[in-house]
Amino acid sequence: GENVEQHPSTLSVQEGDSAVIKCTYSDSASNYFPWYKQELGKGPQLIIDIRSNVGEKKDQRIAVTLNKTAKHFSLHITETQPEDSAVYFCASTDSNYQLIWGAGTKLIIKP
Amino acid sequence: SQTIHQWPATLVQPVGSPLSLECTVEGTSNPNLYWYRQAAGRGLQLLFYSVGIGQISSEVPQNLSASRPQDRQFILSSKKLLLSDSGFYLCAWSGPHGYYGYTFGSGTRLTVV
């Protein structure tokens, strides 16, 4: 079945710097790749997603890139701010269109 | 617009007591519904999902069960709680095939004592 690996598990960056989180997937038929942000004590929230017919998508300071050949996708956050501190999850779809989740990355923004 | 409601927000229950967590969705019909559990500092573990009334799929064997008595209502239950049932429980919904992403509720923090 589909498997999603996410790295790193913890990422600490200086405020104002960029952060990159990477995920790889195993099922070449996967065609939808969302990213979620989970703040402490809250449910995860969708922040950006990309479909397999697109290589890159941007929304203000966040962007997602997809490399279908290599089967990996990445979340890029530029000009990081304290409110970006959270746990980020990537996911991809399996053959039943269910989301398969990465293990999560704890992003720490240092002042 | 669509909204998802999950309650209670926190719950402390003794070992051996029953459990009932409820989730409802508004503003959509025939959603796919999900129950996840999250241990402290850990990832999302899918417990149950449902594609329609009375249709429940279980992902892992456990002390819990789920029911979907109405189109937009999803209930997580246990007859006798174990200490290991403690965690953060999340309900989510999606459109057909999950193409619109999952929308999560605010979660229930369950502590079994």
Side-chain angles (χ1 to χ4, degrees):
Chain A
E2 171 70 315
N3 183 52
V4 177
E5 294 189 358
Q6 184 172 347
H7 300 281
S9 57
T10 304
L11 178 60
S12 183
V13 301
Q14 205 69 38
E15 181 179 349
D17 290 349
S18 295
V20 181
I21 303 170
K22 299 181 179 180
C23 288
T24 60
Y25 61 98
S26 59
D27 189 347
S28 57
S30 295
N31 55 15
Y32 176 65
F33 307 91
W35 284 91
Y36 285 76
K37 175 183 180 181
Q38 186 178 26
E39 297 177 342
L40 194 62
K42 298 183 178 180
Q45 283 195 310
L46 178 68
I47 56 172
I48 196 167
D49 57 12
I50 192 168
R51 303 191 193 284
S52 58
N53 58 347
V54 176
E56 183 176 4
K57 184 177 178 180
K58 290 183 179 180
D59 183 2
Q60 300 183 340
R61 294 187 299 107
I62 62 174
V64 57
T65 58
L66 172 65
N67 183 326
K68 286 184 63 180
T69 302
K71 289 189 282 189
H72 67 71
F73 56 111
S74 300
L75 177 70
H76 305 254
I77 305 174
T78 59
E79 301 174 6
T80 53
Q81 301 171 4
E83 53 265 35
D84 294 328
S85 293
V87 177
Y88 292 81
F89 291 98
C90 66
S92 72
T93 47
D94 68 5
S95 57
N96 294 318
Y97 304 100
Q98 304 291 340
L99 287 183
I100 305 301
W101 298 87
T105 296
K106 183 177 182 179
L107 178 61
I108 301 167
I109 307 300
K110 298 181 291 184
Chain B
S1 64
Q2 301 92 355
T3 56
I4 180 168
H5 302 279
Q6 188 180 343
W7 67 94
T10 59
L11 193 59
V12 180
Q13 293 284 94
V15 169
S17 64
L19 172 73
S20 181
L21 302 181
E22 189 163 345
C23 173
T24 60
V25 180
E26 296 177 357
T28 188
S29 59
N30 197 30
N32 292 340
L33 296 172
Y34 310 86
W35 277 112
Y36 282 86
R37 178 169 59 199
Q38 191 173 30
R42 304 295 294 275
L44 300 164
Q45 180 188 31
L46 179 62
L47 301 176
F48 301 96
Y49 70 92
S50 172
V51 299
I53 295 174
Q55 301 178 62
I56 309 294
S57 296
S58 174
E59 289 296 300
V60 292
Q62 57 210 313
N63 185 42
L64 303 168
S65 62
S67 62
R68 185 170 177 173
Q70 299 181 40
D71 181 45
R72 290 168 291 177
Q73 183 185 30
F74 206 21
I75 298 172
L76 183 69
S77 304
S78 173
K79 293 182 179 178
K80 290 185 178 182
L81 284 169
L82 306 172
L83 287 174
S84 57
D85 292 323
S86 294
F88 191 48
Y89 288 83
L90 290 156
C91 180
W93 76 272
S94 73
H97 299 163
Y99 263 51
Y100 300 100
Y102 289 13
T103 301
F104 285 86
S106 52
T108 296
R109 174 75 57 192
L110 171 66
T111 304
V112 182
V113 296

